[in-house]
Structures are given as structure tokens and as C-alpha cells.
Amino acid sequence: MQDYDETTAFLGQWGRFQQVVFFVLVASNIPNGSGVFSVVFIADIPRHHCLLPDVNITEDWLHVIIPVEVIDGEEKRSSCSRYRLDVVRNLSAQGFLPGRDVNLTELQQEGCVDGWSYSKDIYQSTIVSEFDLVCSEQWKQTFTSTVFFLGVLVGSLISGQLSDRFGRKPVFFATLVVQTVFAFVQIFSSSWAVFCVLLFVVGLGQISNYVSSFVLGSEILTGHVRVLYSSMGVCLGFAVGYMTLPLLAFYFRDWKSLLLAVSLPGLVYLPLWWVIPESPRWLLTQGRVEEAESIVRKAAKWNKVQAPQVIFKDYSAHVDEKKTPSIERHSVFSLLRTKTLRSLTLILCLVWFTLSTGYYALSLNTSRLHANPYLSCFISAAIEVPAYITSWLALRYIPRRVSTICVLLTGGVSLFFIQLVPQSIPSLSVALEMLGKFGITSGTSLMYAYTAELYPTVIRNTATGACCMVSRVGSCIAPFLLELSTFSKFLPYIILGTMSAVSAAAALFLPESFGRPYPQTIEEMCQGRRLKFPCLPPKQRSKLSSRELFESKL
């Protein structure tokens, strides 16, 4: 029997059907790109100092009541303390002048008991100014990003199994609704805790939608178009959304308006339910041959080509003869069944973890790159475009293993070199950091396509979701990794560079998938990659079940 790509070769690779699926799914990822990093602006910390209530003190005391601190070699007004207001009021009433009659260093200080005054030169409001997430509560600001990525972590696992069981299309649209609705509801958050609960659900929906769209497109499309979609198409849609974020944030300076602008565009994609089809590959693995044929016939009509009278002849005969036993259900534990699968999964998880940690650490660090956060965010987003183009070219012409090792070393080495740059040329540090993000972003795009090629259809979405889940542990710790710069400015870069080097070494042991068709079953995956160890448990190695024989030809 022919495999799926050969059976549907009469459709061509770039007809009207493939074009519609390609561009619609790419466009559906634009809200993902703007939504993920909206936390950069809605949770940014504006300049602030202790609020001074209306008190009867002289102008001289009013200017010095906020202490001056030396931070990173610069003198700045304290953000969390002031001189005791009752003492200053008495000294002012007695006519004493600060610095002449009173030594300020001897005055007692107190916290911001009356609240804070926030600068509005960049933002009208953020959740930091809304819920006072500063000083002793500043850990909540860092933890806010982690809450989002915790939702992403859970969604990475749940969405893969749901999609493998119920289909790519239903999960894709369900998570699109979840992401859109809960992002909108966040506007009405009455407290930081409520905001975080809703943000967790938004993160869950965002990654579930992204992974589902990726797998759906990579299974419908074939040949070079599939490589283009997997490596550059879906990622460029994400990058376009990322680049529009600073533009939206520039015009919507308060966090509620920005969330509204980011969330509402998701509603535009709901009517696409009647445009985007289910994956025929997935339908065939479920024994739903007639539905798969219906989709392929519709594609043939759109492409203006003649479909055979019976498209999946061998599969139809197999189903009609009722020789197909009950369908075997797979879960994330299928990825750990044998030594080969465990080794493959662990190496991929390490690489994904490293890339995710680096990607989100460097992306969330944009506010520190330049005095203008909108410009720095746009630069960080724009660097992803050449990164995705590079990954696409690498997927077309370079073996997967070589590409993965090269991008990991590019990202790691450039981040190591940042500590060697003199402070007099900060632009070079920014350039090296962007080169590091270029390499890590390219690697992220490569790994989605590489992982999809290594695992078979029956567990492809589960495997992709599981790798995403492990990688999101890295994204969860990325905000706290940046906080290590308080101990050493270059410590985060050293850690990220070391992780990249270790992952590059581990990638040497990955199997190659360049130029090989998608496997459909676990057995076919092992046979096609010439892996050293058997991929099935001992009882299943000698003879494939009739169901696996059926699936191996999809």
C-alpha cells in the first residue's frame, strides 16, 4: 500500500486548497504573537516613589523628602522609602533647612505608608500601578509572567492528548475561544489574584492553539510546502503579531485598553471553522476513511484536479472487511515505553528546555535593552523574521541534526561573549544579545519541524505537546533567571550560554529525519530511522498487530 503523501500526490503541493489552509493558519497565529508578550507592557514597572499627601512643608523639604540612593553607579530617588513625614513636618515648621541645619543622613526613614506615585511619561497604567506590585510586593510582578507560563506548561500537555483523541480542528477552535474570551475578561480583574487566575487560563489556551495549528497544517500540507509552513509560515505569523504589539502598546498606554486591542482580533477567526478542514491523516488513523476522502475530494475540487474514484482504496477495503481491531490509545507514557523512545524524548526535552528558557529570557529582557521599551520590543521582534527565514532554508537544504547543533552554538557563544564587551560600547552588547536571540529563535522553529518528523502520527501531537510542556518549565523560570542580574550583570548570559553548549552536545545523538516521509506508527518510526534499539516492548517486536499494519500505510 502507498503512504498518505503518495496517495494524495494528485492534489499537487500548492493548489488553491493548500494556499487557503496555509495562509489562514498562518494568520491565526498573529493574535498568539501579540498576546504572549503583552505582559512586557501590561506588567512593566513604571518609575515610582512614595506618595506624599498634602502636607504643610516648605519647597526645600518637599524636594529632598525622598532619599537619594546609588543604584548601578547612578543616583536615583528611592522607590520604597521616604524620610519620616512627622519629623520633616516639625523641622519645616521650625524653619530648619535641609542640608544646612539638618544632616539628612541622620534622619529616620519609613516605608511608603500612604502608597506610591507612579510616573506616566511612558505608561498611563500597568497592573503594577493598578495593584501596587512594588517594593515588598515586587515579587508578584515577576511571578505574573511565571503564572502565564505555568498555564502554557499545562496546556502543552493537555492539548496534545486532546488533539490526538478528539481531532486537531476541534481543539484548535476551542482553544482559540478560550484564549480570546479569558484575555477579554482580564480587563475586569478586581485584584492581582483574579488577574493571575485568568492569565493562567489565557496561557493554557495560547499554547494549545499554537500547537494545534502547527500540527494541523503540517499534516494537511505535504512536501516543501509543509517544510515552509512548519519552519517559517506559522512562525512568521507569530512574529507579525509580536511586531504589532509595540505599535499597539504605543497607542494604548493603559493596560486595559491594550488587553482589549490584543484579545478582540481573535474573534475574527471563528468563522474559519467552515474553511479549515480536519487533518485527513488523523482521520485515517481513527479509521474514519469516508471523512478523510470527503476532505481530499473537496481539496481536488478546489485545485481543479480529478480525484480517483476511490482515493484510499486499500484502507476502505480494510475497514469494510472489518479486520481492524479496536484503536489503540496512546498517551504521554507511550513516549517512555522503550529505551530508544526514552532517550529520544529526553534529548529533545533538554533541547526544547534550553531554547525556551533562552527565548523567553531574552524576549522579556527587552525593557532593559533600550530606554524606549517600544523600540526595544520591536527590535527583539524584528530579529525573529530573519531567524525564521534561516530556519526554513536550513530545513530545506541542511540535515536537521547539523542545523540544530549550529543554531545552539550560535546562540550560546554570542551570549558568552557579552561579558567581554567594554561598557563604553553598549551597542555591541545589544548586537550580541540579538545574535543570541537569532540563534535561539532559529532553533525553536527548527525543533517544531524536527520533532514532528521524528514522531509518528499516532503520537505526534502528544509528543509535540510533551516537549512543549517540558520547555515551558524553562519559560516559567525565565523571569526569575533575569533577576540573577542583581548578583552579577552577566550571570543570566553565562547560564544560558552553558545550557546551549550542553544541549548542542546532546543533539549529536539525535536521529536524522532529513528527506524522509512522516512515520505513521511507532514501529515505522523506528525502522525508518535505523535506530540502535527496538522501539516496541519485547512482546510486540516480532509481529505487528493488524491495526498497526493498517496504520503503517496511512
Side-chain angles (χ1 to χ4, degrees):
M1 281 186 273
Q2 292 181 314
D3 64 18
Y4 177 84
D5 289 350
E6 294 175 343
T7 303
T8 59
F10 66 90
L11 289 175
Q13 293 187 10
W14 192 237
R16 182 187 173 194
F17 173 78
Q18 288 91 345
Q19 293 170 8
V20 170
V21 170
F22 184 96
F23 289 112
V24 166
L25 288 178
V26 166
S28 71
N29 276 286
I30 294 177
N32 288 330
S34 58
V36 168
F37 295 110
S38 60
V39 70
V40 170
F41 297 104
I42 66 176
D44 201 6
I45 304 177
R47 290 189 296 109
H48 57 280
H49 58 77
C50 292
L51 178 66
L52 300 177
D54 293 331
V55 291
N56 186 22
I57 59 175
T58 63
E59 288 291 327
D60 292 326
W61 281 105
L62 193 62
H63 286 115
V64 299
I65 193 171
I66 304 297
V68 175
E69 301 175 343
V70 178
I71 302 175
D72 295 332
E74 298 182 10
E75 291 187 349
K76 297 181 181 179
R77 301 179 74 185
S78 174
S79 300
C80 301
S81 63
R82 68 185 185 189
Y83 293 118
R84 286 187 55 178
L85 193 58
D86 56 341
V87 174
V88 170
R89 187 186 296 111
N90 291 332
L91 292 174
S92 176
Q94 296 176 26
F96 291 109
L97 295 177
R100 190 191 71 176
D101 304 318
V102 179
N103 185 355
L104 294 178
T105 59
E106 297 179 354
L107 290 181
Q108 291 183 334
Q109 298 183 14
E110 62 182 0
C112 299
V113 294
D114 297 306
W116 290 264
S117 176
Y118 297 93
S119 171
K120 295 187 177 181
D121 55 348
I122 297 179
Y123 308 107
Q124 289 298 311
S125 68
T126 68
I127 64 168
V128 172
S129 61
E130 182 81 11
F131 304 121
D132 288 332
L133 308 181
V134 292
C135 299
S136 62
E137 299 289 298
Q138 187 167 335
W139 66 270
K140 293 182 178 179
Q141 186 269 343
T142 304
F143 189 67
T144 300
S145 300
T146 299
V147 168
F148 175 84
F149 293 119
L150 285 173
V152 170
L153 186 153
V154 175
S156 299
L157 178 60
I158 294 177
S159 64
Q161 297 189 64
L162 290 177
S163 184
D164 281 339
R165 176 161 298 191
F166 299 107
R168 297 11 178 167
K169 180 179 176 179
V171 174
F172 171 77
F173 281 97
T175 53
L176 179 62
V177 171
V178 168
Q179 180 184 358
T180 302
V181 171
F182 280 85
F184 174 76
V185 175
Q186 278 183 289
I187 297 172
F188 306 99
S189 301
S190 58
S191 66
W192 174 78
V194 173
F195 179 88
C196 285
V197 170
L198 297 173
L199 185 63
F200 176 88
V201 180
V202 172
L204 188 152
Q206 186 276 326
I207 190 60
S208 302
N209 181 257
Y210 184 86
V211 173
S212 297
S213 65
F214 169 80
V215 175
L216 180 59
S218 63
E219 289 186 349
I220 292 176
L221 303 171
T222 59
H224 294 311
V225 178
R226 182 177 66 200
V227 174
L228 176 65
Y229 174 82
S230 302
S231 60
M232 188 170 67
V234 67
C235 297
L236 280 180
F238 185 91
V240 169
Y242 189 4
M243 286 190 290
T244 60
L245 174 63
L247 301 179
L248 292 173
F250 181 81
Y251 288 103
F252 299 99
R253 301 269 180 134
D254 65 288
W255 69 275
K256 293 185 177 180
S257 298
L258 179 58
L259 271 181
L260 189 65
V262 169
S263 62
L264 287 185
L267 299 175
V268 176
Y269 300 99
L270 295 181
L272 297 177
W273 173 271
W274 292 274
V275 177
I276 300 176
E278 180 57 272
S279 165
R281 289 179 186 267
W282 178 82
L283 290 171
L284 290 172
T285 64
Q286 306 302 301
R288 295 158 62 176
V289 181
E290 292 183 0
E291 295 178 56
E293 280 206 1
S294 176
I295 293 173
V296 175
R297 289 189 187 281
K298 179 182 177 181
K301 185 177 180 181
W302 283 24
N303 290 355
K304 298 180 180 180
V305 296
Q306 184 65 39
Q309 185 175 0
V310 178
I311 300 176
F312 302 109
K313 180 179 179 181
D314 296 327
Y315 314 128
S316 299
H318 192 94
V319 173
D320 291 340
E321 293 169 9
K322 299 182 180 180
K323 293 182 179 179
T324 304
S326 59
I327 299 172
E328 181 184 0
R329 299 297 183 183
H330 294 277
S331 68
V332 67
F333 298 105
S334 300
L335 306 176
L336 307 173
R337 292 170 67 184
T338 64
K339 185 174 182 179
T340 294
L341 286 174
R342 285 194 296 271
S343 300
L344 175 62
T345 302
L346 289 175
I347 293 174
L348 288 174
C349 285
L350 172 63
V351 176
W352 277 72
F353 176 85
T354 298
L355 292 172
S356 181
T357 304
Y359 177 78
Y360 286 102
L362 297 177
S363 297
L364 295 174
N365 193 45
T366 53
S367 60
R368 308 182 189 187
L369 289 179
H370 192 277
N372 187 328
Y374 306 105
L375 178 60
S376 60
C377 182
F378 183 82
I379 293 173
S380 181
I383 199 68
E384 295 192 7
V385 175
Y388 293 138
I389 295 175
T390 300
S391 68
W392 169 62
L393 294 173
L395 285 170
R396 285 206 63 180
Y397 303 111
I398 304 175
R400 307 292 188 250
R401 184 167 46 200
V402 174
S403 303
T404 302
I405 294 172
C406 288
V407 295
L408 284 168
L409 291 178
T410 299
V413 171
S414 60
L415 294 177
F416 266 128
F417 282 168
I418 291 178
Q419 59 185 316
L420 304 179
V421 178
Q423 294 184 357
S424 58
I425 45 178
S427 57
L428 180 57
S429 296
V430 174
L432 285 174
E433 184 166 342
M434 289 298 97
L435 179 60
K437 187 179 182 186
F438 169 85
I440 289 174
T441 302
S442 299
T444 302
S445 177
L446 283 169
M447 290 312 297
Y448 271 98
Y450 196 4
T451 302
E453 291 177 350
L454 288 176
Y455 287 99
T457 302
V458 292
I459 58 170
R460 182 172 297 121
N461 214 13
T462 297
T464 305
C467 289
C468 281
M469 183 196 70
V470 174
S471 74
R472 299 316 170 189
V473 176
S475 61
C476 288
I477 68 173
F480 294 97
L481 179 64
L482 296 175
E483 296 300 317
L484 295 178
S485 60
T486 57
F487 302 100
S488 173
K489 181 179 179 181
F490 304 108
L491 185 56
Y493 301 117
I494 294 173
I495 293 175
L496 291 175
T498 302
M499 291 170 60
S500 298
V502 172
S503 298
L508 289 168
F509 300 95
L510 288 173
E512 186 55 66
S513 63
F514 184 57
R516 295 170 180 171
Y518 270 18
Q520 305 301 323
T521 66
I522 296 177
E523 182 70 15
E524 183 181 334
M525 162 192 169
C526 301
Q527 293 174 343
R529 267 68 182 171
R530 298 187 180 90
L531 298 181
K532 181 178 179 181
F533 303 103
C535 287
L536 292 177
K539 294 182 180 179
Q540 300 182 27
R541 292 174 192 169
S542 59
K543 183 178 180 180
L544 294 176
S545 68
S546 58
R547 178 62 194 173
E548 287 172 323
L549 285 170
F550 171 66
E551 289 178 343
S552 67
K553 301 302 180 181
L554 297 186

